[in-house]
Amino acid sequence: MTLTGDLLIGGGRVPATAGTMKAFNPATGEFIEPEFAFGGPAEVDRGLRLADEAYDSYSHTGLEERARFLELIADKLEAAKDELAARTSVETGLPAAQFAGEAVRSAGVFRKFAAVVRQGRFLQAAIDPAQPDRRPTPRLDHRLQKVALGPVAIFGASNFPISYSVAGGDTASALAAGCPVVLKAHNAHPGASEIEGRVIQEAVAESGLHAGVFSLVRGSGNEIGEALVDHPLVKAVTFTGSEAGGMALYRRAQQRPEPIPVFTEMTSVNPTFVLPAALAARAAEIGTGLVQRGMYNVGQACLKPAVLLAVEGPGYAELREAAITEVQKWEARPMLTPGIHDAYTRNARHHQDNGAVRLAEGAAPEGSEGGAYGQALLLEVTGEQLLAEPALREEVFGPALLLVKVADTEQLLETARTFRGQLSATLHADTADRATVEQLLPVLERRTGRIVFNAFSIPQEVSYASTHGGPFPATSDSRFTSVGMGAIERFLRPVTYQNFPDDLLPQPLREANPLNLWRLVDGELTRQ
Amino acid sequence: MTLTGDLLIGGGRVPATAGTMKAFNPATGEFIEPEFAFGGPAEVDRGLRLADEAYDSYSHTGLEERARFLELIADKLEAAKDELAARTSVETGLPAAQFAGEAVRSAGVFRKFAAVVRQGRFLQAAIDPAQPDRRPTPRLDHRLQKVALGPVAIFGASNFPISYSVAGGDTASALAAGCPVVLKAHNAHPGASEIEGRVIQEAVAESGLHAGVFSLVRGSGNEIGEALVDHPLVKAVTFTGSEAGGMALYRRAQQRPEPIPVFTEMTSVNPTFVLPAALAARAAEIGTGLVQRGMYNVGQACLKPAVLLAVEGPGYAELREAAITEVQKWEARPMLTPGIHDAYTRNARHHQDNGAVRLAEGAAPEGSEGGAYGQALLLEVTGEQLLAEPALREEVFGPALLLVKVADTEQLLETARTFRGQLSATLHADTADRATVEQLLPVLERRTGRIVFNAFSIPQEVSYASTHGGPFPATSDSRFTSVGMGAIERFLRPVTYQNFPDDLLPQPLREANPLNLWRLVDGELTRQ
């Protein structure tokens, strides 16, 4: 497909109204053709009016029709995977093979949501039949299903240009819920965004859906994102990125005349706790695993295990040595954008200003100094330092890892209590660590959306039991996940139909259960 | 039980630190003994510290233990029902029999949530078993359950002093979720609040739970509510009341360093649409039913059908006559507070200033003029007026009803599209109205949490298929309901346990399914 650089609004391609940009190759420092259009509030308005027009028909598509649409996106995404991977590689400086895999996984996510749609459990159909003879008052027939919220604004993320961007899980789950999508493409990968966006746009057209089901806009600064969040027709927002960016959008949306749900996934250091027996038994394995997991995607991953805490004692020196050896093997690689690289350098320096000792760094390849190359970095502090300086518990986005040498298990528990909300926490523990594990688990449960036992979690699973969420500031609403089948719940609300004649009820609620759904009838799950 | 007027903090009674108040009898205009304590931010802080301390143990109570605790509250509430009804009647000027019924229904709500807790479906347990041989990457075992958010701040409402107040559905659903509660009692019924609060406090003690599971505070102005919403240990807020009050709390909570979920249920006129064939067939029945439903609780009900729209034509005059006759039968009754009465008088006058014609009013009993008596009022406007003046589509809290004489079904659809979000909408329609119904349903579905067909819904059902929610400004988050079994979802968040040894997993997620729960295993519902 030849990139045109246009915005994709409804079924059409819309040229620039507010200037243009070119993509940047962080590996070479060069700009790449073609020019990509910037739009403004007028294009946002146009996309949202179309999305609002599309809502009535799209939110009422049959489950089978909607599932097939999602599968068509999956097929087209897979068909475009080599082209998409090649372009994404140029726009990120990361290997094409990584993105071919990411495209296949994203296609898989659309297929999984197609299955979710077909199962229809997301509708949470519930029926409380009439009880005309109930005293003192009869009960009317009540039937509940979930319906789509309305048009959703999705901000593409920079760090995973497919799976957290245009054809990512946010789009898949919003479309699965029956919500039209207006997507703000991230300027770090405009070509990848266009390929993904056109895949979805084509699938909309071939499925015979209203063209307003999907639009893609792009802008030069904050204005376009603000126009999107402010627009009265937007009914929900998703964002993955920095705490500052996420909170600005969140607070803005809450000050609208009509506040709307905003799910932002922001920051997490995913602390790893290594308990004494595990440390004594597997120090080198853990130290190596930490670095291998931590360097994935040049450390630009929400689940990077950024902080590892272990009690000083048998194994600690060995863990440190293993981590040092592994970090030294890592060659610097281009980071996603020059801005991210600058922030990385600055934040890594701040950690050292705050007392973190540099244990090791990765190699800097010939000629990488002037570019946006992120150099691996292993830092160390004591538990006491971590307790005293909150900034050391904050994220350094990029290939930096922090070892924390903790005095004893008492101090380990104390440090655990100081962390803000996290996407995940990891425990490495053996049988002899049981008593400490039992003390630590409730502390971690309060602060995280996921607890991992004796593993470095790779990659993010997209399944029914996934949680990619957690207490603030990991996300802005811990009640939801942005990854996994539960992500659809962000975009649904209940509606009750009371005393309806059967033939006016939505299909999922009709007496004969024509869709063969699991439904809650008088509080009992049944397919009858 | 002898009322002491104390605040109830943790297991203790705490005397006034910021002045006192007495309850007001709106029927007699007299103040009633005893004095009730006001507290301030220090008491809020004490209650929340205790709630936070209680969180770890209370949120991990076994399902059976928690269910029995809720049932004990129900038993005690029922045992106190006559005393509670008598006091509530004096504090509201409404009949004691109404409150005896409300106490029994509230006890029923606690029992229903006990059943929800025992079923354990609210945990939404999901298991994705390990797939060690999966390529390219193995899958680790993932298990998800919902956990309690943390301490919840609940604002007692004025209009239903039991079911939307201390021992109401918000408290029942938060406690069912495993969240400790700090409740701000409404000053309109301090004695009822104390009785209900002591019932819960006793049940906490007798169940051997941490005393911080429940506290009740009271204050003279906004300060105590603000302290509650601002407190860093509060993890969610619920409120039922005016749009101005609800939005002030909502926006305040979203400006905290850590924003928290706030569910406010605010305003709704619950429009009723009478279609031509139904109007021709049952005009008098609908007109009478409208007024009877509308006058319930002196019109101080969130589901009051405040606006009825019908097409001018056969039956309209008859409907109007029936409504007039019924309104004239209604004697003025005391409203909940002098403030609510003043607002009612003012808002009813505004409607008339905006062109609404007074069709009829209820009788004013001897000597009611100076008091807080709300006089029934039936107003009328044309569809054109309603379209032109948004204020006519807003709530007048109290016993006023607005008839809208619509020119044709086209105008009926047009007016339907102008309403803001509603808790409910009602359709009266016959077979011949089918085409209009099909046009109207998607319009109403967008704007409401509930659609009622050919009925005036009384009372609010508390069941699995209930929705008491809806798009803004009916509530601040249409994704949730505040009444019905789904209300528990406001207070829960998912946590995933990854690669855990079985004996460290929470009971609901263990391989043997010891609690015999419905669980989603690899995407399929099963009890295995």
Side-chain angles (χ1 to χ4, degrees):
Chain A
M1 123 182 14
T2 307
L3 297 179
T4 67
D6 292 328
L7 308 178
L8 308 174
I9 299 193
R13 297 188 192 167
V14 173
T17 60
T20 61
M21 65 164 288
K22 285 187 181 171
F24 177 78
N25 181 334
T28 64
E30 287 165 357
F31 288 93
I32 327 159
E33 294 299 323
E35 298 207 323
F36 287 91
F38 283 145
E43 285 66 46
V44 165
D45 182 62
R46 196 161 147 199
L48 278 164
R49 284 177 190 275
L50 286 165
D52 185 64
E53 267 180 33
Y55 170 81
D56 275 341
S57 60
Y58 183 62
S59 66
H60 287 88
T61 43
L63 298 182
E64 180 60 29
E65 183 187 359
R66 202 185 303 167
R68 284 191 190 168
F69 165 56
L70 297 173
E71 285 166 345
L72 184 59
I73 296 176
D75 293 346
K76 287 177 173 289
L77 193 59
E78 219 161 53
K81 79 172 194 301
D82 292 332
E83 192 179 359
L84 177 56
R87 176 76 196 189
T88 313
S89 174
V90 174
E91 293 184 337
T92 58
L94 290 164
Q98 172 177 332
F99 296 114
E102 194 176 321
V104 171
R105 279 200 305 279
S106 267
V109 170
F110 277 87
R111 289 200 185 97
K112 285 176 187 177
F113 275 108
V116 164
V117 169
R118 270 200 195 90
Q119 289 161 345
R121 265 199 323 269
F122 74 101
L123 297 168
Q124 293 187 29
I127 300 174
D128 296 323
Q131 296 176 343
D133 300 326
R134 192 180 67 173
R135 293 288 166 270
T137 47
R139 181 167 84 178
L140 297 176
D141 182 89
H142 283 60
R143 294 174 188 240
L144 176 150
Q145 71 166 352
K146 296 272 181 114
V147 303
L149 275 188
V152 175
I154 296 176
F155 286 74
S158 66
N159 60 342
F160 291 96
I162 307 170
S163 57
Y164 284 76
S165 187
V166 183
D170 281 339
T171 303
S173 52
L175 291 176
C179 294
V181 166
V182 176
L183 194 135
K184 187 199 149 296
H186 200 286
N187 293 347
H189 48 264
S193 298
E194 178 176 337
I195 295 170
E196 297 169 49
R198 281 168 58 183
V199 156
I200 299 173
Q201 199 182 38
E202 282 169 21
V204 170
E206 287 177 31
S207 303
L209 299 171
H210 189 296
V213 166
F214 178 80
S215 290
L216 179 151
V217 296
R218 186 187 298 109
S220 60
N222 289 340
E223 191 192 35
I224 199 155
E226 292 173 358
L228 202 46
V229 167
D230 290 348
H231 200 290
L233 294 174
V234 167
K235 297 303 173 193
V237 176
T238 74
F239 168 90
T240 302
S242 70
E243 186 175 352
M247 287 311 295
L249 289 182
Y250 182 87
R251 299 216 199 263
R252 192 174 180 98
Q254 302 318 317
Q255 290 303 319
R256 291 165 42 120
E258 173 186 338
I260 49 174
V262 177
F263 186 90
T264 63
E265 193 256 276
M266 299 179 289
T267 184
S268 183
V269 296
N270 308 296
T272 298
F273 299 85
V274 187
L275 301 195
L279 181 63
R282 302 189 296 282
E285 185 190 321
I286 294 169
T288 307
L290 170 78
V291 177
Q292 288 175 348
R293 178 69 184 88
M295 293 303 131
Y296 174 66
N297 214 42
V298 200
Q300 298 159 119
C302 22
L303 290 173
K304 183 187 75 168
V307 178
L308 181 141
L309 307 99
V311 175
E312 196 177 7
Y316 186 83
E318 199 186 336
L319 183 154
R320 174 163 56 184
E321 277 316 303
I324 289 172
T325 305
E326 195 66 22
V327 160
Q328 286 168 340
K329 286 184 196 163
W330 275 80
E331 282 210 343
R333 290 199 197 154
M335 295 190 73
L336 292 162
T337 69
I340 288 174
H341 175 262
D342 291 351
Y344 170 63
T345 311
R346 199 167 53 240
N347 292 332
R349 198 166 48 233
H350 280 172
H351 260 37
Q352 294 170 74
D353 293 344
N354 280 320
V357 174
R358 184 161 56 176
L359 293 184
E361 53 190 7
E366 208 61 42
S368 69
E369 291 78 9
Y373 280 65
Q375 201 175 354
L377 185 62
L378 184 67
L379 302 170
E380 188 183 44
V381 294
T382 63
E384 211 163 290
Q385 284 176 287
L386 193 79
L387 286 169
E389 180 48 63
L392 290 169
R393 300 191 293 269
E394 297 303 321
E395 188 175 6
V396 176
F397 192 71
L401 299 171
L402 181 66
L403 296 188
V404 185
K405 186 167 58 179
V406 176
D408 48 33
T409 54
E410 207 45 53
Q411 195 181 60
L412 193 78
L413 280 161
E414 202 185 336
T415 55
R417 286 192 201 97
T418 64
F419 282 101
R420 300 200 292 163
Q422 303 290 335
L423 292 173
S424 75
T426 297
L427 274 175
H428 291 277
D430 273 6
T431 313
D433 296 312
R434 173 94 190 197
T436 312
V437 168
E438 285 177 357
Q439 287 179 283
L440 204 46
L441 278 179
V443 177
L444 299 182
E445 202 179 81
R446 263 186 185 235
R447 285 168 180 78
T448 66
R450 177 169 13 165
I451 311 174
V452 187
F453 202 85
N454 284 342
F456 288 102
S457 65
I458 44 160
Q460 174 63 44
E461 284 296 333
V462 182
S463 62
Y464 293 89
S466 304
T467 303
H468 193 71
F472 183 87
T475 76
S476 56
D477 192 343
S478 67
R479 294 177 298 176
F480 297 94
T481 177
S482 60
V483 176
M485 288 21 266
I488 195 173
E489 293 172 18
R490 296 175 294 171
F491 309 117
L492 296 164
R493 65 181 177 88
V495 174
T496 296
Y497 307 82
Q498 197 172 318
N499 202 38
F500 263 53
D502 200 61
D503 65 343
L504 280 174
L505 281 167
Q507 286 269 342
L509 298 180
R510 293 201 182 161
E511 193 60 22
N513 195 9
L515 303 179
N516 190 31
L517 301 177
W518 281 103
R519 308 191 293 191
L520 206 55
V521 177
D522 246 341
E524 294 296 329
L525 275 172
T526 170
R527 269 181 146 151
Q528 296 306 301
Chain B
M1 118 181 20
T2 307
L3 297 180
T4 68
D6 293 327
L7 309 177
L8 308 174
I9 300 192
R13 297 189 192 165
V14 173
T17 60
T20 62
M21 66 165 286
K22 284 187 182 172
F24 177 78
N25 181 335
T28 63
E30 286 165 359
F31 288 93
I32 326 159
E33 295 299 324
E35 299 208 320
F36 287 91
F38 282 145
E43 285 65 48
V44 165
D45 182 62
R46 196 162 146 200
L48 278 164
R49 283 177 191 276
L50 285 166
D52 185 64
E53 267 179 32
Y55 170 80
D56 275 341
S57 60
Y58 183 62
S59 66
H60 288 87
T61 43
L63 299 182
E64 180 59 29
E65 184 186 359
R66 202 184 303 166
R68 285 192 188 167
F69 164 56
L70 297 173
E71 285 165 346
L72 184 58
I73 296 175
D75 293 347
K76 286 176 174 290
L77 193 59
E78 219 161 54
K81 81 171 192 303
D82 292 332
E83 193 179 358
L84 178 56
R87 176 77 196 187
T88 313
S89 174
V90 174
E91 292 184 338
T92 58
L94 291 164
Q98 172 177 332
F99 296 115
E102 195 176 321
V104 170
R105 280 200 305 280
S106 267
V109 170
F110 277 87
R111 290 202 185 94
K112 285 177 186 176
F113 275 108
V116 164
V117 168
R118 269 200 196 91
Q119 288 161 345
R121 265 200 323 270
F122 74 101
L123 297 168
Q124 293 186 28
I127 300 175
D128 297 324
Q131 296 175 342
D133 301 326
R134 193 182 65 174
R135 294 286 166 269
T137 48
R139 181 167 84 176
L140 296 177
D141 183 88
H142 283 60
R143 292 172 191 243
L144 176 150
Q145 69 167 354
K146 297 272 180 114
V147 302
L149 275 188
V152 175
I154 296 176
F155 286 74
S158 66
N159 60 342
F160 291 97
I162 306 170
S163 57
Y164 284 75
S165 188
V166 183
D170 281 341
T171 303
S173 53
L175 291 176
C179 295
V181 166
V182 176
L183 193 134
K184 187 198 149 297
H186 200 287
N187 294 347
H189 47 267
S193 298
E194 178 176 337
I195 296 170
E196 297 169 48
R198 280 167 59 182
V199 155
I200 299 173
Q201 198 181 40
E202 281 168 21
V204 170
E206 286 177 32
S207 303
L209 298 171
H210 189 295
V213 166
F214 178 80
S215 290
L216 179 151
V217 296
R218 186 187 300 109
S220 60
N222 290 339
E223 191 193 34
I224 200 156
E226 292 174 357
L228 201 47
V229 167
D230 290 349
H231 201 289
L233 293 174
V234 167
K235 297 302 173 194
V237 176
T238 74
F239 168 90
T240 301
S242 71
E243 185 174 354
M247 287 313 293
L249 290 181
Y250 183 87
R251 299 216 199 263
R252 191 172 181 100
Q254 303 318 318
Q255 290 303 319
R256 292 163 42 118
E258 172 185 339
I260 49 174
V262 176
F263 186 89
T264 63
E265 192 254 276
M266 299 179 289
T267 184
S268 183
V269 295
N270 309 296
T272 298
F273 299 85
V274 187
L275 302 195
L279 182 63
R282 301 189 296 280
E285 184 190 321
I286 294 169
T288 307
L290 171 77
V291 177
Q292 288 176 347
R293 177 69 185 89
M295 293 303 131
Y296 173 66
N297 214 42
V298 199
Q300 299 159 118
C302 20
L303 290 173
K304 183 187 75 170
V307 178
L308 181 141
L309 306 99
V311 175
E312 195 176 8
Y316 185 83
E318 199 185 336
L319 183 154
R320 177 165 51 184
E321 277 316 304
I324 289 173
T325 305
E326 194 66 22
V327 159
Q328 286 168 340
K329 287 185 197 163
W330 276 80
E331 282 212 343
R333 290 198 198 156
M335 296 190 73
L336 292 162
T337 68
I340 288 173
H341 175 263
D342 290 351
Y344 170 62
T345 312
R346 199 167 52 241
N347 292 333
R349 198 166 46 233
H350 281 172
H351 260 37
Q352 295 171 74
D353 293 345
N354 281 320
V357 174
R358 185 162 55 177
L359 293 183
E361 53 190 7
E366 207 62 41
S368 70
E369 291 77 8
Y373 280 65
Q375 201 173 355
L377 186 61
L378 184 67
L379 302 170
E380 187 183 46
V381 294
T382 64
E384 211 163 288
Q385 284 176 287
L386 193 80
L387 286 168
E389 179 47 64
L392 290 169
R393 301 191 292 270
E394 298 302 321
E395 188 176 6
V396 176
F397 192 71
L401 299 171
L402 181 67
L403 295 188
V404 186
K405 186 168 54 179
V406 177
D408 48 33
T409 56
E410 208 45 55
Q411 195 179 60
L412 193 77
L413 280 161
E414 203 186 337
T415 55
R417 287 191 199 96
T418 64
F419 282 100
R420 301 200 292 163
Q422 302 291 333
L423 292 173
S424 76
T426 297
L427 273 175
H428 291 277
D430 273 6
T431 313
D433 297 312
R434 173 94 189 197
T436 312
V437 168
E438 284 177 357
Q439 287 179 283
L440 204 46
L441 278 179
V443 177
L444 299 182
E445 202 179 80
R446 265 186 184 234
R447 284 167 180 79
T448 65
R450 176 167 15 164
I451 309 174
V452 187
F453 202 84
N454 283 343
F456 289 102
S457 64
I458 43 160
Q460 172 65 44
E461 285 295 333
V462 182
S463 63
Y464 293 90
S466 304
T467 303
H468 193 71
F472 183 86
T475 75
S476 56
D477 192 343
S478 67
R479 295 177 298 175
F480 297 94
T481 177
S482 61
V483 176
M485 288 19 267
I488 195 173
E489 293 171 19
R490 297 175 293 171
F491 309 117
L492 295 164
R493 66 181 177 87
V495 174
T496 296
Y497 307 83
Q498 197 172 319
N499 202 37
F500 262 53
D502 199 62
D503 64 343
L504 280 174
L505 281 167
Q507 287 268 341
L509 298 181
R510 293 200 182 162
E511 193 60 21
N513 195 10
L515 303 180
N516 191 32
L517 300 177
W518 280 103
R519 309 191 294 190
L520 206 55
V521 176
D522 246 340
E524 294 297 330
L525 273 173
T526 168
R527 269 181 145 153
Q528 297 305 301

